[in-house]
Amino acid sequence: MIRVAVYDDNKHRRESLQAFISLSSELKHAGSFENCANILQDVAATFPDIILMDIEMPVVNGLQGVKLVKKQYPHIKIIMQTAFDDDDKIFAALQAGAEGYILKQLPLFKLPKALMKL
Amino acid sequence: MELKSKLNWKTFRTTQIQISGIENAALKKEAKVLKLSINEIKQNRRINNLWFAFIILILLLVSAGLLWYLYHQKQKLRVTNLKSKISRDLHDDIGASLSSIHIFGDLATSVWDTKPQQSKEMVNKITMQSKDLMERMSDIVWSLKPPGDEQNSLTIKFRNFSHDFLAARGIKTLFDIDEKLAAIIENPLVRTNLLLIAKEAMNNIAKYSGADQVVISLRKEKEEVIFSITDNGKGFDRPLTNNGNGLHNIEQRCSQLKGSCLINTFPGKGVTIICRFPVAIISHTD
């Protein structure tokens, strides 16, 4: 089972992603967090294999989160979540080491298989 | 001989008088010419002065026009930036909630027969999230409306919230709002943040404070807007309280207004939340 952590400032999105991950036979929910303010402690406590990372979050955003995690835990895969496919920040996140991105408005049913291939 | 001499003298005198007359006439003419020249010079100077004043006026008008144009271009740019920010925030925030409802819908359908209890919980989530979404949409639409109209005023909105959150629990709310100031807060981001700060604070008061009176104040001090919410409840010990009760959100919202937030509280002494932010931001659209 792949352990997945979710970073998103939208409470609704965190709840639905948690439900989705929990119901998937291939994935296990490692934890959900509203921003990256304590990301290194979060990761140390929850041992995720993959992080689903929002970009725009208050206090410490997703881009800063990618840099922090990749510096200390380069083996953890990070998938950015975005509402905009033309966002410069996605490319910045990919440059910082994120493995890919998903659009929030697209259905998630293919996500578990895609995550398994990472 | 003597007669001849007298005649010569007479002729000489006559000639002298004539010459003197001619000289006087010439002098007068010269004076007239001089006067005319002076007048001409004066007139030319007046015309030059008029031209100078005219050119200065034209330059002033051109400068004023240029400044007006630049100001309007700047305003236009600010409005464009604001629209872009609002549409981006809407897409990001409302879009995330809609995607969540979508996910719950898909999940509920997929486990409808196998896990009926879980699908029921998911349908409940859809109901709650869509209700929340409708409230947020209503707040966003309100924030975009003109602040001067009474039905769109901050006071009316605060009164509605206090009625829903506080009056229902027997908590009395007093309003000390500078209406003139409230009527010129037109920046939707300021209106939204004030509204959400009030909402968050009232929610905390209703849930945790045990207060029976709240004072909501909005006023101007020098170049700052001061928005405060005070309750006479039991207060709390800040270091022992985690940020789960929305205080952190209030601080965040104040910083979005380029301002600061002070939360004064002691156990047994109630809570005062004071948000200060620059007056300049209330009409600015950047």
Side-chain angles (χ1 to χ4, degrees):
Chain A
M1 294 262 268
I2 301 171
R3 295 177 62 82
V4 182
V6 175
Y7 282 84
D8 202 310
D9 60 330
N10 186 293
K11 187 181 159 213
H12 296 165
R13 178 93 186 162
R14 287 201 304 274
E15 286 175 354
S16 61
L17 283 175
Q18 179 174 348
F20 176 82
I21 293 164
S22 304
L23 284 173
S24 164
S25 54
E26 296 102 337
L27 309 177
K28 183 170 173 59
H29 179 246
S32 291
F33 309 94
E34 61 182 319
N35 64 49
C36 298
N38 301 309
I39 194 163
L40 293 178
Q41 291 96 306
D42 301 337
V43 167
T46 57
F47 314 107
D49 301 304
I50 292 174
I51 294 175
L52 289 179
M53 181 79 86
D54 189 16
I55 297 179
E56 296 293 346
M57 286 181 284
V59 191
V60 179
N61 68 24
L63 187 56
Q64 293 166 292
V66 172
K67 288 176 185 166
L68 286 167
V69 171
K70 283 292 177 182
K71 201 172 170 187
Q72 203 143 332
Y73 303 97
H75 64 280
I76 295 179
K77 314 283 185 203
I78 302 177
I79 302 294
M80 307 308 290
Q81 311 177 66
T82 177
F84 312 95
D85 56 359
D86 61 343
D87 198 332
D88 288 344
K89 288 174 186 164
I90 302 172
F91 302 106
L94 294 176
Q95 277 180 329
E99 273 68 21
Y101 71 95
I102 54 168
L103 289 175
K104 286 184 183 178
Q105 55 268 41
L106 293 183
L108 291 175
F109 60 89
K110 285 185 182 169
L111 186 67
K113 285 204 165 59
L115 294 183
M116 300 281 282
K117 286 179 189 165
L118 282 174
Chain B
M1 186 72 183
E2 196 180 328
L3 187 67
K4 197 178 174 184
S5 169
K6 270 185 180 173
L7 273 172
N8 279 346
W9 172 245
K10 206 176 175 182
T11 313
F12 173 73
R13 279 295 298 167
T14 313
T15 314
Q16 216 175 16
I17 289 166
Q18 280 176 343
I19 290 170
S20 165
I22 292 166
E23 274 178 352
N24 276 345
L27 275 173
K28 276 181 187 170
K29 278 190 180 168
E30 210 170 293
K32 211 174 175 183
V33 168
L34 197 67
K35 205 176 172 185
L36 281 173
S37 302
I38 289 170
N39 281 346
E40 199 179 340
I41 289 168
K42 277 184 179 170
Q43 203 170 345
N44 282 344
R45 197 174 286 169
R46 212 173 292 141
I47 290 170
N48 283 344
N49 283 347
L50 275 174
W51 268 110
F52 183 69
F54 181 69
I55 290 168
I56 292 285
L57 186 70
I58 294 288
L59 281 175
L60 281 174
L61 284 174
V62 168
S63 309
L66 196 67
L67 283 174
W68 183 85
Y69 174 77
L70 287 174
Y71 173 77
H72 278 267
Q73 284 300 105
K74 208 174 169 186
Q75 283 296 99
K76 236 176 172 178
L77 188 68
R78 281 175 173 162
V79 171
T80 309
N81 286 343
L82 177 70
K83 280 182 182 170
S84 159
K85 181 166 171 41
I86 290 172
S87 62
R88 217 176 158 79
D89 287 352
L90 260 178
H91 189 51
D92 193 31
D93 187 34
I94 304 297
S97 290
L98 285 172
S99 80
S100 166
I101 290 171
H102 186 194
I103 292 169
F104 275 128
D106 277 350
L107 286 178
T109 312
S110 68
V111 295
W112 194 261
D113 296 324
T114 52
K115 294 172 179 167
Q117 185 55 37
Q118 272 178 300
S119 22
K120 197 180 165 190
E121 284 165 15
M122 284 172 201
V123 172
N124 283 339
K125 286 272 183 199
I126 291 173
T127 310
M128 284 193 300
Q129 291 189 0
S130 45
K131 183 175 171 278
D132 186 36
L133 203 53
M134 282 192 296
E135 279 174 18
R136 271 158 55 206
M137 284 303 291
S138 154
D139 291 346
I140 289 167
V141 171
W142 169 84
S143 76
L144 295 169
K145 286 181 178 172
D149 297 351
E150 202 191 333
Q151 70 270 25
N152 302 328
S153 77
L154 271 168
T155 314
I156 295 284
K157 202 72 173 168
F158 291 156
R159 278 187 197 282
N160 289 344
F161 281 146
S162 77
H163 183 266
D164 294 347
F165 285 98
L166 305 177
R169 288 173 173 83
I171 305 169
K172 190 180 171 191
T173 311
L174 303 173
F175 294 92
D176 176 21
I177 309 275
D178 178 343
E179 292 296 345
K180 280 185 185 165
L181 174 65
I184 55 166
I185 299 180
E186 59 183 17
N187 185 338
L189 299 176
V190 178
R191 277 162 69 81
T192 307
N193 277 311
L194 288 179
L195 190 65
L196 295 176
I197 288 169
K199 225 176 185 179
E200 197 85 62
M202 287 188 212
N203 193 31
N204 284 345
I205 291 167
K207 277 186 185 166
Y208 312 110
S209 76
D212 61 12
Q213 188 168 296
V214 174
V215 180
I216 296 179
S217 158
L218 180 78
R219 64 185 197 280
K220 193 179 144 187
E221 248 181 46
K222 291 178 184 168
E223 290 309 305
E224 278 188 325
V225 175
I226 299 167
F227 179 53
S228 68
I229 300 160
T230 307
D231 71 65
N232 65 349
K234 59 187 177 192
F236 57 87
D237 201 353
R238 185 82 204 269
L240 300 178
T241 310
N242 64 26
N243 285 328
N245 54 5
L247 294 176
H248 184 63
N249 285 342
I250 292 175
E251 286 168 335
Q252 279 274 306
R253 295 197 177 282
C254 287
S255 69
Q256 279 179 30
L257 299 177
K258 298 175 185 171
S260 61
C261 177
L262 182 68
I263 297 169
N264 278 333
T265 181
F266 295 101
K269 301 272 181 191
V271 181
T272 301
I273 297 170
I274 305 167
C275 303
R276 290 170 175 269
F277 55 92
V279 169
I281 198 177
I282 64 175
S283 56
H284 279 191
T285 46
D286 52 354

PDB file of all heavy atoms in Angstrom, chain A residues 94-115:
ATOM      1  N   LEU A  94       7.979  21.779 -10.450  1.00  0.00           N
ATOM      2  CA  LEU A  94       8.613  20.664 -11.169  1.00  0.00           C
ATOM      3  C   LEU A  94      10.131  20.852 -11.170  1.00  0.00           C
ATOM      4  O   LEU A  94      10.895  19.902 -11.000  1.00  0.00           O
ATOM      5  CB  LEU A  94       8.072  20.567 -12.600  1.00  0.00           C
ATOM      6  CG  LEU A  94       6.587  20.197 -12.730  1.00  0.00           C
ATOM      7  CD1 LEU A  94       6.144  20.239 -14.181  1.00  0.00           C
ATOM      8  CD2 LEU A  94       6.301  18.814 -12.126  1.00  0.00           C
ATOM      9  N   GLN A  95      10.548  22.090 -11.354  1.00  0.00           N
ATOM     10  CA  GLN A  95      11.982  22.383 -11.329  1.00  0.00           C
ATOM     11  C   GLN A  95      12.573  22.118  -9.945  1.00  0.00           C
ATOM     12  O   GLN A  95      13.721  21.712  -9.823  1.00  0.00           O
ATOM     13  CB  GLN A  95      12.231  23.843 -11.703  1.00  0.00           C
ATOM     14  CG  GLN A  95      12.263  24.051 -13.218  1.00  0.00           C
ATOM     15  CD  GLN A  95      12.517  25.497 -13.582  1.00  0.00           C
ATOM     16  OE1 GLN A  95      12.129  26.388 -12.839  1.00  0.00           O
ATOM     17  NE2 GLN A  95      13.148  25.715 -14.710  1.00  0.00           N
ATOM     18  N   ALA A  96      11.739  22.356  -8.920  1.00  0.00           N
ATOM     19  CA  ALA A  96      12.218  22.134  -7.543  1.00  0.00           C
ATOM     20  C   ALA A  96      12.230  20.648  -7.179  1.00  0.00           C
ATOM     21  O   ALA A  96      12.682  20.289  -6.097  1.00  0.00           O
ATOM     22  CB  ALA A  96      11.341  22.910  -6.565  1.00  0.00           C
ATOM     23  N   GLY A  97      11.711  19.795  -8.074  1.00  0.00           N
ATOM     24  CA  GLY A  97      11.819  18.351  -7.827  1.00  0.00           C
ATOM     25  C   GLY A  97      10.505  17.592  -7.786  1.00  0.00           C
ATOM     26  O   GLY A  97      10.509  16.377  -7.643  1.00  0.00           O
ATOM     27  N   ALA A  98       9.349  18.303  -7.898  1.00  0.00           N
ATOM     28  CA  ALA A  98       8.059  17.586  -7.895  1.00  0.00           C
ATOM     29  C   ALA A  98       7.990  16.663  -9.117  1.00  0.00           C
ATOM     30  O   ALA A  98       8.532  16.987 -10.180  1.00  0.00           O
ATOM     31  CB  ALA A  98       6.906  18.586  -7.911  1.00  0.00           C
ATOM     32  N   GLU A  99       7.322  15.502  -8.937  1.00  0.00           N
ATOM     33  CA  GLU A  99       7.291  14.494 -10.005  1.00  0.00           C
ATOM     34  C   GLU A  99       6.247  14.778 -11.079  1.00  0.00           C
ATOM     35  O   GLU A  99       6.356  14.285 -12.203  1.00  0.00           O
ATOM     36  CB  GLU A  99       7.052  13.108  -9.412  1.00  0.00           C
ATOM     37  CG  GLU A  99       8.316  12.380  -8.970  1.00  0.00           C
ATOM     38  CD  GLU A  99       9.025  13.000  -7.770  1.00  0.00           C
ATOM     39  OE1 GLU A  99       8.377  13.747  -7.031  1.00  0.00           O
ATOM     40  OE2 GLU A  99      10.230  12.746  -7.604  1.00  0.00           O
ATOM     41  N   GLY A 100       5.194  15.526 -10.740  1.00  0.00           N
ATOM     42  CA  GLY A 100       4.145  15.791 -11.726  1.00  0.00           C
ATOM     43  C   GLY A 100       3.054  16.654 -11.127  1.00  0.00           C
ATOM     44  O   GLY A 100       3.204  17.180 -10.018  1.00  0.00           O
ATOM     45  N   TYR A 101       1.953  16.796 -11.864  1.00  0.00           N
ATOM     46  CA  TYR A 101       0.835  17.569 -11.318  1.00  0.00           C
ATOM     47  C   TYR A 101      -0.498  17.018 -11.820  1.00  0.00           C
ATOM     48  O   TYR A 101      -0.547  16.337 -12.848  1.00  0.00           O
ATOM     49  CB  TYR A 101       0.970  19.063 -11.664  1.00  0.00           C
ATOM     50  CG  TYR A 101       0.737  19.427 -13.104  1.00  0.00           C
ATOM     51  CD1 TYR A 101      -0.521  19.851 -13.531  1.00  0.00           C
ATOM     52  CD2 TYR A 101       1.756  19.369 -14.048  1.00  0.00           C
ATOM     53  CE1 TYR A 101      -0.755  20.207 -14.850  1.00  0.00           C
ATOM     54  CE2 TYR A 101       1.538  19.720 -15.362  1.00  0.00           C
ATOM     55  CZ  TYR A 101       0.288  20.145 -15.765  1.00  0.00           C
ATOM     56  OH  TYR A 101       0.063  20.492 -17.061  1.00  0.00           O
ATOM     57  N   ILE A 102      -1.550  17.290 -11.032  1.00  0.00           N
ATOM     58  CA  ILE A 102      -2.905  16.914 -11.462  1.00  0.00           C
ATOM     59  C   ILE A 102      -3.786  18.158 -11.408  1.00  0.00           C
ATOM     60  O   ILE A 102      -3.543  19.061 -10.593  1.00  0.00           O
ATOM     61  CB  ILE A 102      -3.537  15.796 -10.579  1.00  0.00           C
ATOM     62  CG1 ILE A 102      -3.510  16.199  -9.098  1.00  0.00           C
ATOM     63  CG2 ILE A 102      -2.859  14.469 -10.794  1.00  0.00           C
ATOM     64  CD1 ILE A 102      -4.355  15.304  -8.206  1.00  0.00           C
ATOM     65  N   LEU A 103      -4.776  18.197 -12.297  1.00  0.00           N
ATOM     66  CA  LEU A 103      -5.727  19.312 -12.269  1.00  0.00           C
ATOM     67  C   LEU A 103      -6.861  18.961 -11.320  1.00  0.00           C
ATOM     68  O   LEU A 103      -7.416  17.868 -11.381  1.00  0.00           O
ATOM     69  CB  LEU A 103      -6.273  19.574 -13.675  1.00  0.00           C
ATOM     70  CG  LEU A 103      -5.291  20.189 -14.675  1.00  0.00           C
ATOM     71  CD1 LEU A 103      -5.911  20.281 -16.057  1.00  0.00           C
ATOM     72  CD2 LEU A 103      -4.840  21.565 -14.209  1.00  0.00           C
ATOM     73  N   LYS A 104      -7.201  19.917 -10.454  1.00  0.00           N
ATOM     74  CA  LYS A 104      -8.219  19.643  -9.432  1.00  0.00           C
ATOM     75  C   LYS A 104      -9.583  19.317 -10.030  1.00  0.00           C
ATOM     76  O   LYS A 104     -10.366  18.587  -9.435  1.00  0.00           O
ATOM     77  CB  LYS A 104      -8.355  20.858  -8.510  1.00  0.00           C
ATOM     78  CG  LYS A 104      -7.206  21.014  -7.539  1.00  0.00           C
ATOM     79  CD  LYS A 104      -7.471  22.172  -6.601  1.00  0.00           C
ATOM     80  CE  LYS A 104      -6.290  22.380  -5.674  1.00  0.00           C
ATOM     81  NZ  LYS A 104      -6.497  23.517  -4.775  1.00  0.00           N
ATOM     82  N   GLN A 105      -9.854  19.896 -11.196  1.00  0.00           N
ATOM     83  CA  GLN A 105     -11.204  19.716 -11.738  1.00  0.00           C
ATOM     84  C   GLN A 105     -11.385  18.370 -12.466  1.00  0.00           C
ATOM     85  O   GLN A 105     -12.495  18.029 -12.859  1.00  0.00           O
ATOM     86  CB  GLN A 105     -11.594  20.891 -12.662  1.00  0.00           C
ATOM     87  CG  GLN A 105     -10.645  21.174 -13.800  1.00  0.00           C
ATOM     88  CD  GLN A 105      -9.579  22.196 -13.430  1.00  0.00           C
ATOM     89  OE1 GLN A 105      -9.046  22.160 -12.331  1.00  0.00           O
ATOM     90  NE2 GLN A 105      -9.267  23.093 -14.342  1.00  0.00           N
ATOM     91  N   LEU A 106     -10.285  17.618 -12.626  1.00  0.00           N
ATOM     92  CA  LEU A 106     -10.414  16.341 -13.341  1.00  0.00           C
ATOM     93  C   LEU A 106     -10.772  15.211 -12.373  1.00  0.00           C
ATOM     94  O   LEU A 106     -10.384  15.236 -11.207  1.00  0.00           O
ATOM     95  CB  LEU A 106      -9.104  16.019 -14.062  1.00  0.00           C
ATOM     96  CG  LEU A 106      -8.754  16.966 -15.220  1.00  0.00           C
ATOM     97  CD1 LEU A 106      -7.468  16.513 -15.906  1.00  0.00           C
ATOM     98  CD2 LEU A 106      -9.885  17.045 -16.243  1.00  0.00           C
ATOM     99  N   PRO A 107     -11.514  14.177 -12.850  1.00  0.00           N
ATOM    100  CA  PRO A 107     -11.862  13.063 -11.961  1.00  0.00           C
ATOM    101  C   PRO A 107     -10.609  12.306 -11.496  1.00  0.00           C
ATOM    102  O   PRO A 107      -9.596  12.291 -12.189  1.00  0.00           O
ATOM    103  CB  PRO A 107     -12.746  12.172 -12.830  1.00  0.00           C
ATOM    104  CG  PRO A 107     -12.802  12.780 -14.178  1.00  0.00           C
ATOM    105  CD  PRO A 107     -12.089  14.070 -14.188  1.00  0.00           C
ATOM    106  N   LEU A 108     -10.724  11.688 -10.330  1.00  0.00           N
ATOM    107  CA  LEU A 108      -9.537  11.084  -9.714  1.00  0.00           C
ATOM    108  C   LEU A 108      -9.411   9.582  -9.962  1.00  0.00           C
ATOM    109  O   LEU A 108      -8.468   8.966  -9.475  1.00  0.00           O
ATOM    110  CB  LEU A 108      -9.584  11.313  -8.195  1.00  0.00           C
ATOM    111  CG  LEU A 108      -9.385  12.752  -7.708  1.00  0.00           C
ATOM    112  CD1 LEU A 108      -9.589  12.806  -6.199  1.00  0.00           C
ATOM    113  CD2 LEU A 108      -7.992  13.257  -8.039  1.00  0.00           C
ATOM    114  N   PHE A 109     -10.380   8.977 -10.709  1.00  0.00           N
ATOM    115  CA  PHE A 109     -10.395   7.510 -10.733  1.00  0.00           C
ATOM    116  C   PHE A 109      -9.122   6.888 -11.291  1.00  0.00           C
ATOM    117  O   PHE A 109      -8.785   5.757 -10.973  1.00  0.00           O
ATOM    118  CB  PHE A 109     -11.651   6.984 -11.472  1.00  0.00           C
ATOM    119  CG  PHE A 109     -11.763   7.413 -12.906  1.00  0.00           C
ATOM    120  CD1 PHE A 109     -11.194   6.653 -13.910  1.00  0.00           C
ATOM    121  CD2 PHE A 109     -12.441   8.582 -13.255  1.00  0.00           C
ATOM    122  CE1 PHE A 109     -11.299   7.035 -15.241  1.00  0.00           C
ATOM    123  CE2 PHE A 109     -12.539   8.969 -14.587  1.00  0.00           C
ATOM    124  CZ  PHE A 109     -11.963   8.202 -15.583  1.00  0.00           C
ATOM    125  N   LYS A 110      -8.359   7.638 -12.108  1.00  0.00           N
ATOM    126  CA  LYS A 110      -7.114   7.072 -12.644  1.00  0.00           C
ATOM    127  C   LYS A 110      -5.922   7.330 -11.729  1.00  0.00           C
ATOM    128  O   LYS A 110      -4.824   6.855 -11.990  1.00  0.00           O
ATOM    129  CB  LYS A 110      -6.823   7.671 -14.024  1.00  0.00           C
ATOM    130  CG  LYS A 110      -7.704   7.137 -15.142  1.00  0.00           C
ATOM    131  CD  LYS A 110      -7.255   7.702 -16.472  1.00  0.00           C
ATOM    132  CE  LYS A 110      -8.166   7.197 -17.583  1.00  0.00           C
ATOM    133  NZ  LYS A 110      -7.941   7.909 -18.839  1.00  0.00           N
ATOM    134  N   LEU A 111      -6.160   8.136 -10.681  1.00  0.00           N
ATOM    135  CA  LEU A 111      -5.036   8.559  -9.835  1.00  0.00           C
ATOM    136  C   LEU A 111      -4.281   7.393  -9.171  1.00  0.00           C
ATOM    137  O   LEU A 111      -3.052   7.353  -9.247  1.00  0.00           O
ATOM    138  CB  LEU A 111      -5.529   9.551  -8.780  1.00  0.00           C
ATOM    139  CG  LEU A 111      -4.423  10.177  -7.913  1.00  0.00           C
ATOM    140  CD1 LEU A 111      -3.508  11.078  -8.730  1.00  0.00           C
ATOM    141  CD2 LEU A 111      -5.017  10.961  -6.752  1.00  0.00           C
ATOM    142  N   PRO A 112      -4.994   6.402  -8.550  1.00  0.00           N
ATOM    143  CA  PRO A 112      -4.239   5.334  -7.870  1.00  0.00           C
ATOM    144  C   PRO A 112      -3.263   4.614  -8.807  1.00  0.00           C
ATOM    145  O   PRO A 112      -2.098   4.400  -8.437  1.00  0.00           O
ATOM    146  CB  PRO A 112      -5.340   4.387  -7.385  1.00  0.00           C
ATOM    147  CG  PRO A 112      -6.546   5.237  -7.266  1.00  0.00           C
ATOM    148  CD  PRO A 112      -6.434   6.243  -8.358  1.00  0.00           C
ATOM    149  N   LYS A 113      -3.722   4.269 -10.000  1.00  0.00           N
ATOM    150  CA  LYS A 113      -2.838   3.557 -10.946  1.00  0.00           C
ATOM    151  C   LYS A 113      -1.656   4.433 -11.342  1.00  0.00           C
ATOM    152  O   LYS A 113      -0.529   3.966 -11.461  1.00  0.00           O
ATOM    153  CB  LYS A 113      -3.637   3.117 -12.178  1.00  0.00           C
ATOM    154  CG  LYS A 113      -4.525   1.934 -11.877  1.00  0.00           C
ATOM    155  CD  LYS A 113      -4.855   1.120 -13.123  1.00  0.00           C
ATOM    156  CE  LYS A 113      -5.420  -0.224 -12.756  1.00  0.00           C
ATOM    157  NZ  LYS A 113      -6.652  -0.163 -11.930  1.00  0.00           N
ATOM    158  N   ALA A 114      -1.948   5.740 -11.549  1.00  0.00           N
ATOM    159  CA  ALA A 114      -0.874   6.674 -11.930  1.00  0.00           C
ATOM    160  C   ALA A 114       0.147   6.785 -10.794  1.00  0.00           C
ATOM    161  O   ALA A 114       1.360   6.771 -11.035  1.00  0.00           O
ATOM    162  CB  ALA A 114      -1.464   8.040 -12.250  1.00  0.00           C
ATOM    163  N   LEU A 115      -0.341   6.791  -9.565  1.00  0.00           N
ATOM    164  CA  LEU A 115       0.578   6.906  -8.422  1.00  0.00           C
ATOM    165  C   LEU A 115       1.413   5.639  -8.261  1.00  0.00           C
ATOM    166  O   LEU A 115       2.578   5.698  -7.869  1.00  0.00           O
ATOM    167  CB  LEU A 115      -0.199   7.190  -7.125  1.00  0.00           C
ATOM    168  CG  LEU A 115      -0.916   8.551  -7.039  1.00  0.00           C
ATOM    169  CD1 LEU A 115      -1.567   8.713  -5.673  1.00  0.00           C
ATOM    170  CD2 LEU A 115       0.032   9.706  -7.299  1.00  0.00           C
TER     171      LEU A 115
END
